[in-house]
């Protein structure tokens, strides 16, 4: 009798162990399946982004639209990761410039106390048109620079370190007195007319009549659309300082 009872108990123990083993195996397989699905899902997402990015600019526009004056630098890192390049500002010791160098654009952030105090987006492809930084919506058509000359006040121009023309606009109280900039940075050296650029630069740095400068600038950008947009709560020279020189562009790209 005792022998029979002992055998039965051992049989039940083995049965319980078998059931427990089966549950562990099922749970392990389930966890492995979940892990594989996570990897698969990640691969699908990466493939989707790659395909969308290859044929459109939607993904890039949506990512850039998340950047704002006032954004915390940790939040920026969560979207774009660490910057490829960091430079100190020549005009403000408290400001550093963080660069994200994408094949389609350059995102330059003015950072002070871990906070974005200004930023610029420079399009590097013909079909990449930086969106409106005020309403955060992709623009329906490229911004014609000649149209922005109607409210011309301040501008910056150069043809030595890099060929560019940038004009500035005060956004007023509605936008907390931030200032906006539109322009064209000619890293490819094929767009802006060299002679007109030199003339405009010379006139801008000499006591020429304002209408003469406006006329030259109008000819310079008559066929150009903005591939550079920027906004800041700081002084405008900081934005200009953030434009990579031709040497830097060729070095980092």
């Amino acid at each position: 009798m005792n022998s029979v009872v002992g055998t039965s108990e051992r049989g039940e123990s083995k049965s319980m162990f078998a059931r427990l083993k089966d549950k562990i195996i099922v749970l392990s397989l389930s966890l492995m399946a979940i892990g594989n699905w996570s990897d698969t899902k990640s691969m699908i997402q990466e493939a989707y982004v790659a395909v969308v990015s290859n044929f459109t600019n939607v993904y890039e526009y949506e990512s850039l639209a998340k950047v704002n004056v006032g954004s915390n630098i940790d939040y920026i890192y969560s979207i774009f990761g660490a910057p490829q390049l960091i430079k100190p500002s020549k005009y403000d010791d408290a400001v550093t410039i963080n660069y994200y160098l994408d094949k389609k654009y350059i995102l330059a952030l003015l950072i002070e106390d871990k906070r974005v105090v200004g930023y610029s987006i420079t399009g590097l492809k013909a079909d990449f048109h930086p969106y409106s930084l005020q309403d955060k919506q992709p623009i329906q058509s490229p911004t014609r620079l000649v149209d922005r000359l109607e409210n011309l006040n301040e501008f910056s121009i150069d043809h030595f370190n890099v060929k560019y023309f940038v004009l500035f606009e005060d956004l007023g109280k509605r936008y907390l007195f931030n200032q906006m900039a539109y322009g064209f940075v000619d890293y490819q050296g094929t767009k802006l007319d060299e002679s007109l650029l030199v003339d405009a630069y010379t006139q801008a740095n000499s006591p020429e009549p304002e209408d003469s400068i406006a006329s030259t600038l109008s000819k310079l950008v008559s066929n150009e659309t903005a591939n550079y947009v920027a906004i800041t709560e700081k002084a405008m020279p900081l934005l200009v300082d953030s434009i990579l020189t031709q040497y830097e562009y060729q070095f980092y790209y």
Side-chain angles (χ1 to χ4, degrees):
M1 179 70 69
N2 290 337
S3 177
V4 173
V5 173
T7 302
S8 176
E9 288 177 348
R10 286 196 297 271
E12 290 179 2
S13 296
K14 289 181 178 179
S15 178
M16 290 177 61
F17 176 76
R19 289 198 300 270
L20 181 59
K21 182 180 178 181
D22 289 340
K23 289 181 179 179
I24 292 174
I25 292 174
V26 171
L27 179 60
S28 298
L29 290 174
S30 298
L31 291 175
M32 288 176 63
I34 292 173
N36 288 336
W37 166 242
S38 297
D39 292 341
T40 303
K41 182 179 179 182
S42 178
M43 291 175 63
I44 291 173
Q45 289 176 334
E46 291 177 3
Y48 169 77
V49 169
V51 171
V52 171
S53 181
N54 189 50
F55 293 101
T56 74
N57 299 316
V58 173
Y59 176 76
E60 288 80 7
Y61 289 151
E62 289 179 349
S63 298
L64 292 169
K66 297 175 182 177
V67 182
N68 291 284
V69 172
S71 292
N72 183 284
I73 189 61
D74 293 331
Y75 172 69
I76 299 297
Y77 284 3
S78 72
I79 302 171
F80 299 97
Q84 292 99 320
L85 173 65
I86 299 178
K87 291 180 11 180
S89 170
K90 293 185 294 186
Y91 296 96
D92 191 330
D93 292 338
V95 174
T96 57
I97 309 170
N98 290 12
Y99 293 89
Y100 291 90
L101 310 175
D102 188 86
K103 63 181 180 180
K104 293 185 179 182
Y105 64 84
I106 297 174
L107 171 63
L109 305 174
L110 305 178
I111 306 297
E112 183 176 19
D113 295 329
K114 292 189 174 183
R115 179 176 175 273
V116 177
V117 295
Y119 67 99
S120 66
I121 303 169
T122 306
L124 302 179
K125 300 291 185 180
D127 65 342
F128 191 90
H129 308 295
Y131 59 84
S132 170
L133 301 187
Q134 291 122 297
D135 56 26
K136 297 294 182 178
Q137 295 296 321
I139 55 178
Q140 299 302 313
S141 58
T143 302
R144 297 176 68 246
L145 286 176
V146 69
D147 295 337
R148 313 303 303 191
L149 292 177
E150 296 177 2
N151 301 317
L152 182 65
N153 185 13
E154 294 183 74
F155 67 92
S156 182
I157 190 169
D158 196 6
H159 64 93
F160 292 104
N161 296 320
V162 61
K163 293 165 63 176
Y164 76 82
F165 167 72
V166 176
L167 57 89
F168 309 115
E169 298 178 3
D170 192 331
L171 298 179
K173 184 177 181 180
R174 179 184 176 188
Y175 293 99
L176 303 177
F177 298 102
N178 286 329
Q179 296 191 70
M180 187 86 183
Y182 298 90
F184 190 89
V185 183
D186 194 7
Y187 285 123
Q188 308 306 321
T190 58
K191 286 283 188 176
L192 296 177
D193 185 283
E194 183 74 28
S195 60
L196 286 174
L197 191 63
V198 172
D199 287 346
Y201 180 87
T202 302
Q203 293 175 34
N205 290 278
S206 62
E208 288 287 335
E210 184 176 339
D211 57 349
S212 176
I213 297 176
S215 176
T216 303
L217 291 177
S218 181
K219 294 177 183 177
L220 177 68
V221 300
S222 60
N223 298 315
E224 304 305 334
T225 56
N227 74 341
Y228 172 94
V229 293
I231 190 169
T232 186
E233 64 185 26
K234 303 286 283 187
M236 280 300 174
L238 271 73
L239 283 181
V240 175
D241 184 31
S242 71
I243 298 176
L244 292 178
T245 65
Q246 190 71 42
Y247 169 78
E248 289 172 326
Y249 174 76
Q250 292 175 342
F251 182 81
Y252 291 110
Y253 276 90

